[in-house]
Structures are given as C-alpha cells and as structure tokens.
Amino acid sequence: MSAPFSWIKPHPHGVYVEPADCWIDPSRAVDKALVTHGHADHARGGHGATVATPATLAIMDLRYNIRENITPVEYGETVRLTGGVDATYIPAGHVLGSAQILLEHAGERVVITGDYKRRADPTCPPFEVTPCDIFITEATFGLPLFAHPPIEDEMAKLLDRLAAYPDRCVLVGAYALGKAQRVIAELRAVGHTQAIYLHGAMEKMCRLYEDFGVDLGELRMVMDHDKDDMRGHIVICPPSALNDRWSRRLPDPITAMASGWMRVRGRARQRNVELPLVISDHADWFELTRTIEEVNPHETWITHGREEALLRWHQLHQRRARALAMVGREDEDD
Amino acid sequence: MEAFAALLDALVYTRSRNEKLRLIAEYLRATPDPDRGWAMAALTDGLDFKAVKSSTIRNLLKERVDPVLWTLSRDFVGDTAETASFLWPEPLGETGPPPTVSEAVDALSAMTRANVASELPQLLDRLDSAGRYALFKLATGGLRIGVSSRLAKVAFAQAFDVSVDAVEEYWHAFGPPYLELFAWAADGDDAPDTAHIPLFKPFMLAHPLEELHVDLADYAAEWKWDGIRVQLVHVAGETRLYSRSGDDISATFPELLGALQLPAVLDGELLVRGTAQGGETGGAASFNALQQRLGRKTVSKKMLTESPAFVRLYDVLSVDGEDLRGREWQHRRTQLEGLMPRLPDSHFDLSQLVEARDFDHLAEIREGTRDDAIEGLMLKRRDSLYVPGRKTGLWYKWKRDPLLVDCVLMYAQRGSGKRSSFYSDYTFGCWNGDPDAGADLLPVGKAYSGFTDAELKKLDKVVRQTTLNRFGPVREVERTLVFEVAFDSVHESKRHKSGLAMRFPRIHRVRWDKPVHEADRIEALRKLIRD
Ligand SMILES: [Zn+2]
Ligand SMILES: [Zn+2]
C-alpha cells in the first residue's frame, strides 16, 4: 500500500491527481483538467479535456472557445475518473458556476475549494461545508485586518452617493466576471430598478449570467448613449477602465470600486477611488478560519494569497498546514 | 467622534479642493462646540498629546494580537494607526457610547506615559474601526489627509461667510477649541478683542510682472531674496514669528524672539548667515542651507551657532502701537529706515532699494542677479497701502529669467482631479555622457505644469503610444520627446541618481522638433549650480 495521500501531488502550476492522470485548475495546458471556476487564474484554454460545471464551461467557451471534449458536472454530481478516483462538484459561493471539488480515493477525502466566500450571493448557490482529510484552500484575504462589511452597508453607500449627485454618475469598477453581476443583482435586490449602464467589455458576461437565470434588470450600453442619458445613473466598468480615457464620455463620474482591497485606505487612494465599496467574492479572515474549523481537516494546504498569516493561525491553533506556492495566481478580487 | 471619523474618511478619498472645502464647512456648521473647535485644531495641526506616540499604539496592539500577525498586517497596510484600528479586538460585553471629540481630547490630554496603556484602551473599546482610526490620528497628530491649515481656515470662512483675512488674523489669538472664534463667526457675536495679542496680520502679496513696463517714478525696486517670507510681531512683551501661511514658527527660530523688544509688526525675508547672498551687514546662505532649519519643532545648539537666522526687513506694519497699514509704502519705508538703529544688527538688516536710471537700466541690473543667487526684483508702488492678499497694480515680483535645460521625457504619471484620465506628471532626464556613445538618461526632475490643455492631450497620446512598462499609475515611455524645462535653481541632492535636484521645474516648451540625442547632458546642468 502506498503512503497516505501520495495519490495527490501539488505542483507550482496545479494539483495533480496521479491515478486519474488529471490536474485541478492547472495554469498551463494539460491533457485533462478539472476546473473549479471561470476566473483566468484558475481556468485556461487549450486542455485536451475539461471537466467543470455547465456555467463554468460556458464561461470558458466565451473566453477560450472550448466546445470539444468537455464534461459538464452538476452541483452534487459525482464523476468517476480513471484509477478509482471519484470527483464531486460542490457549490463554492464564489461566482456563477464556481465549485469546490471533492476527490475520494482509497477511503481518503480531499477538498479543493478553488476560490470561495461564505456570504449570500444572488448569482450563485452558497458554499457548503464538506468534511475531508485534506482541505486545499485559497487565502486571498488571509490577514486578520480583512473583515468584509455587510453588503447592505455598501449598497447604501453607493445609492446615497448616487442620490446626492443627480447630475453626475457613479462609475463602479468591478471585475467583469462575478463582481459586476453580483453588484447589479444586489442593487436589484435592494429595489434599485433604474437602468444600469455597462462598459462594452461587460456585455457578453452579463448576457451569459442572464442565460443562466440571473435577473439583472435593465442594462444599457454606454456606447449607445449620450452623456446626458447617464446622469443620475450607475455605470459599471472593469477596474482597468476607471481612470482611462474611456471615462471621459461619462457625465462627471464619481469613481467607485467594488473590491475587498478597498478596506485599506491606501489601496483606494492609489487607484484614485473616491467611493470605496468593500465588496468581495472571497472569504475574509474570519470566514477563512471559521471554515477551517468547521471542515476540521486533518491538514490544510494553502494554494494562494496571504499564506504566511494563515499558516501562523494554524500554528497558533495547533493545526497542520502547508503552503503550496502556486504560481500565476495574482491578487484577485480586483 | 463618529462625525469627525466620517469627515476624515471623506477627506481621505477626496481630491478636489472645492469638495474638501465643502466637506469641512458642512461639518463645522453641523457640529456643536467645542467638538468642531477641536476638529479644527486637529486639521490645522494644532494638537499634540505627549503620552501617545506611534510606538504606544504598536505596544498596545502587540499585547492583544499575535505579534507575527500584527507585523504581517502592518506591512501590508503600511500605516500603524490604520492597522491598529483594524486589529483592535472588539470588546466583550457592554461598553459606553462613543466619546465625543472633546471627551476624547480631554482624556488624551490627561494621559501620561505611566497610565496611557490602561487609559487609551478604554476609549478605543467605545469606538468602531473608523472611530479608532480617527482617534489614533487625533492622538498622534499628522493626519496626512491633504488638508493644509490654510485650507481648513478657508473652509471655516466659507462655512460662516466671514472674511478669510479676518479668520487668519484672529486665528492665533485663541487656542483650541476656538470658542470665541465660533461665537463671532457662527453666532454673530462681536469681533474678538485682540489688541493685546501678538497676532498674525495677513501678508500683502505680489503679482508676477508679465510684459509690463513700469515707471520708476511710481515704483521702487528691491531685491527679491531667496529665503522665506516671515512676519515678526511683538505686542505686550511677547514676540511671535509667523510664516507666509500664518503658521506660528516661533519655536523653529527662537533666536529671533529675543531680538525684537519693541512693539512692532515687521515684514521681511528670513535667511541664515552665509556668503551666497549679499546684504548690508553681511551675506546669507543659499536656500538649501535655510532648508536644513525649516520644519523643525526644536533646534539644537549646534544649528543655532552654525546657521543663525536673521531677517532682512522690507516693511513695517505697525510700530509703537500705531497701525501703519493704512499709510503709503513711501511713508512706511521711511519709518522702517528710522527704526533700524533701534534693532540689533545681529538679527536684522534692511533690504536695500535698487537704484536705476530707468526701467531698461533696471532690466540690465536684473540680468546680472543670477550670480548673486537672488530670485529677482520686487517692484512696489510708492503710494501703495499695505493691503492683504494680491491686488493688481500695487506690488510686482519680477523674477530673473529662469534657467533652461533640454531634457528627455522618461516616465509619466496620471494627474489628479480633472486630470485623472491624463498622463500629466512628467519625469525627465539628462544624458550622463555622449548619447551616441551609449550614454544613459538619468532622471533630474519632475513637472506637471507649463503646457496648454491642447498640448496635454497631445502629450497624453504620446505617452500611451510609446509606453514601455507600467508600474501602477506610472508608465515608462520610449525616449522620443524633448522638453525645454525651466527652473529656478539646481543643487546637489543625494535623493536622485543624477545627484542633482531642480527647484520649481516646469515645462517651458515642448520641443516636438528636437531629436533626443541633442538634449542636454548632466554636466551642463551641474554647471548651473550656484550653491
Ligand atoms: Zn476566482
Ligand atoms: Zn483564485
């Protein structure tokens, strides 16, 4: 008999599942990939075969044109891989289609979270705690200073500012996959029914969300409208467009940004953000540590983020942990 | 404290000056005494609590938070007060309501090094994260939120629709929380009685002389010295020294306080002894030497002996209780000359008038001033009364022609406010040898003014089209464009790789036509040092 968990091997560019000869979230093209969600640092094109939820596959198709050799897996569904490995896709609550992957082999259980959060999100089902032996987690906001506020507070800040300046618009920088749609859906949830304007780069992803049953209300494209139409409205763009020439076509925009990093004043100032909205699709410090306590694994492996602090927390709580030093995973939630 | 915390946060994220003014004015109108007065003191740097230092905060946190997690967090945030506001553990059980600003100020003033570790936590436990941030900033001073003391005073004037000159004048008569000031401005009480207080009187300022020809029969000419403008006030046995912005800088130049022992308000240029700038009773050092003494709250004996300060006088606003601001310049000048024998020449001399046959002759004299490290000339209408601020036609500054050098654009950064979508801040360099023989460019300065809006658009386009690298808001560009850069002086600096730093660099002309290898070399710039 081989050593415990020798069948699962972390590499800098992904987690390798030896008996099934497949990779989880590999950062380069492989023969067979199991993908947790559609963000670019987890999902890449060019794999021989791809296993993911239908929404994640649709997102990958939009970005990389993959139609061939795909295996859709629903939440709660188990696929039998070669070599006696079972893979079950479980909601991660991160973005549309995001999943944790539970791998079972020889009586051993490993959960790979991909990215996740514990807050409610109208665009995807909530994270489910899944007991396991090895818990492979992210740590994007793995510092004790990160405590994301309730999203209702941030929505109120945004709508208050919008109401105070009826002749201007509020331009919200939000990541094009996930954050943008969540902000729109949360606005709808608190009763904001006005049209929301979109940067051109946002359109296709929003339509994809709608195809998967997420109601985003009335959306209009900035390029189809005059400055005056947008006064008193919310405009959403990718963070990279916030201070770009593109924004000159907007009516005196108030610059906002929706990101967990906005908690730190210097981060907001660095980007010329006047209205920081602390909205994150990742677990904050307290959710990361609570989740580890609830999952209560034999050992935690940390894929990416602020691993030093989370390792320290494990040490202080007499828990076993190691950092995997995965490459190509930048500061997300941006 | 919540309102003050909200104000600080709003100011942190606001870049527009008008918006800052509006936010502060709104706070001042909505907040009762004495909280708003303490807030003004905090904004104008008027508070200092000896018991609370940055290290106090760090130590308090390290007793409550794992030191490794503290250090990792502090490194990420980059600001001790902010990190501490995040990591302070939420108290268990009931705590009191948040303290008011004045309650916090009272408690902070009463703290000693011996009891701060037990007293400060009691305040912190009653605040949320934003409140704790505001309390730390209040307690340690140095808000660093881009609000100058002048801006706060302008906001005060706007809030209550009073003259900012009057605010400046009364400001130093009262300590925080400025109850008399609010009673006057906000509640319509009589103007405060300030006859017995050494108050700052707002300065009379000059316009630049641009393509104008003045008649020397109407205007007197003086050298414009390269020091700092100060006002020295002696009333009822007390002397205070004020800077151009009305800040009390008495503590920075204590040697001047004892030197004025008669009731007077004097206007002049503060300089330190040296050989670079000539005068009636000896030379002054370059601005660089003066800079060593600026911004210090305490002065060492060594500095006092090595770089003693003196004031080169050019005006008198009052003497022996008589206000001279309503008299003509010619009269004040005669009074000042008459006053000189009563002042110790160790600390005062008289700014000399420059005699010239006519304006052209004066221009000729001005041309020769560069070697004397003088900024240029001042032209003062002989019949001008001493009026605060900048009134057209009364005083002119006629700076000597700026020094010019051709530099190559190296980096560009986005501007702020209206310019936040343009690359409008430029870093440029000179060659460290022969560019055709493989020399490199070394940065020598940074400028963000001197071009038209149309030029800015064109420059922005060039930056975008020639970007080599991006570092956050900064772009490194291909070396394709030459700027003719104007500057007032250049001196040695360890901060730049080129070893040189310019004073007041601005873009004089964009040399679209000039090939980059024809730009100037470092050694050409070095020759312009006049220290
Ligand atoms: Zn993600
Ligand atoms: Zn990730």
Side-chain angles (χ1 to χ4, degrees), chain A residues 165 243 248 265 269 312, chain B residues 9 12 15 19 66 82:
Chain A
Y165 295 92
N243 295 304
R248 290 179 207 164
R265 291 169 178 83
R269 280 170 66 94
R312 174 67 178 171
Chain B
D9 263 344
V12 162
R15 294 190 181 240
E19 188 64 12
D66 174 58
E82 188 175 6

Side-chain angles (χ1 to χ4, degrees), chain A residues 58-79:
Chain A
I59 291 162
M60 290 177 75
D61 185 34
L62 187 65
R63 292 183 157 181
Y64 312 114
N65 283 312
I66 54 157
R67 303 255 159 100
E68 318 262 293
N69 296 315
I70 53 170
T71 309
V73 193
E74 298 291 344
Y75 289 128
E77 190 184 335
T78 301
V79 285

